[in-house]
Amino acid sequence: VSVKAISARLEQNQPNPFNPTTTIRYVLPVREDVTLSIYDTNGHLVRTLVHDLQDYGAHEVKWDGRDDDGAPMGSGVYFYRLRAGKLTESKKMVLLK
């Protein structure tokens, strides 16, 4: 009988609320194609932080509160979504300025 040592998971960003940066951590049970993106409350893509094949294990990414063009985002609620293999998970975070 095979037991997976770890399961895929997306953790709550730290700190939350944050200003000016926050760290997003996630764990992969196997090597996966990973996309980690930030969205505003209207569902618009703000920034893609990761779009790559990544090895299994723990990963962390920092977000500086800026969009893909480098413009600072305003205070408010944002969502981050991890897509890794069959896993799709989202969590909420708050940027306070």
Side-chain angles (χ1 to χ4, degrees):
V1 175
S2 168
V3 177
K4 278 191 178 178
I6 58 174
S7 59
R9 73 176 181 274
L10 177 63
E11 297 179 4
Q12 187 63 50
N13 64 301
Q14 292 292 329
N16 188 32
F18 71 96
N19 179 18
T21 62
T22 190
T23 301
I24 300 168
R25 292 180 178 89
Y26 56 94
V27 178
L28 304 174
V30 295
R31 188 174 168 96
E32 297 272 24
D33 281 314
V34 172
T35 303
L36 179 63
S37 302
I38 310 293
Y39 296 87
D40 65 18
T41 54
N42 295 321
H44 296 118
L45 177 65
V46 170
R47 185 152 178 202
T48 299
L49 298 175
V50 177
H51 186 74
D52 201 9
L53 181 64
Q54 294 192 319
D55 284 329
Y56 73 92
H59 299 268
E60 71 174 43
V61 179
K62 293 195 183 302
W63 183 45
D64 59 3
R66 295 178 179 270
D67 68 12
D68 274 332
D69 295 324
M73 301 304 295
S75 294
V77 174
Y78 294 88
F79 296 90
Y80 56 103
R81 181 170 63 202
L82 176 70
R83 287 186 177 163
K86 295 178 182 175
L87 173 73
T88 299
E89 191 173 347
S90 299
K91 292 195 182 286
K92 181 169 69 171
M93 61 184 162
V94 177
L95 172 58
L96 285 181
K97 293 198 172 182

